[in-house]
Amino acid sequence: LLWQPGMSGRFDESPPTDLNVRMRYYLLEFWFALFFFTAVERFVDERIFSKDRLHYLGHWALLIFLIHGFFRVLATPLEYWCMLLGTIPLCKLMFGGGQPKARRDAASSNDGGNDSL
């Protein structure tokens, strides 16, 4: 196991002094980065945006990426998690109307119009 049960904390801020633990942590980070940058598009079905209309999740992810550090510093943990979860309905209301018609038609023609997959 690379990550032993009971290990916690941010090793990027205060790296462990034990070389074995540090190397296991770096190896774990390497594998996560490698999998993300080489195969992330295979984990998500493209129809999630055209058929399921969940394109607002991209806007939510960008919003959270931009403001999470601010809330982590200034808010309590409960307020932080409320902000993370509370912005989902906000993004759904702001961006949940769907794609423009031209993009929706192009997305449905890319999957051959087969909605039963």
Side-chain angles (χ1 to χ4, degrees):
L1 289 173
L2 293 176
W3 190 267
Q4 293 178 345
M7 293 175 68
S8 64
R10 293 196 52 178
F11 290 158
D12 59 334
E13 290 181 348
S14 58
T17 56
D18 183 15
L19 186 61
N20 185 24
V21 174
R22 186 181 288 200
M23 286 299 120
R24 286 192 325 219
Y25 172 72
Y26 290 151
L27 187 60
L28 190 65
E29 288 287 319
F30 168 75
W31 283 114
F32 280 136
L34 181 70
F35 289 147
F36 179 77
F37 288 119
T38 59
V40 73
E41 72 276 357
R42 297 179 187 264
F43 292 132
V44 178
D45 188 4
E46 293 177 5
R47 291 173 293 166
I48 195 170
F49 301 108
S50 61
K51 184 179 177 186
D52 298 335
R53 300 174 54 124
L54 295 177
H55 63 280
Y56 68 91
L57 290 177
H59 295 287
W60 175 76
L62 178 63
L63 178 68
I64 292 303
F65 173 74
L66 294 174
I67 66 173
H68 85 279
F70 172 76
F71 277 95
R72 233 182 91 242
V73 171
L74 294 179
T76 66
L78 178 63
E79 293 168 340
Y80 174 73
W81 283 104
C82 288
M83 181 275 307
L84 283 179
L85 297 175
T87 53
I88 295 173
L90 177 68
C91 287
K92 173 83 171 151
L93 287 173
M94 291 176 63
F95 305 108
Q99 295 175 327
K101 183 165 176 37
R103 290 184 66 193
R104 193 176 324 134
D105 292 339
S108 65
S109 66
N110 285 342
D111 67 2
N114 189 359
D115 290 339
S116 64
L117 293 176

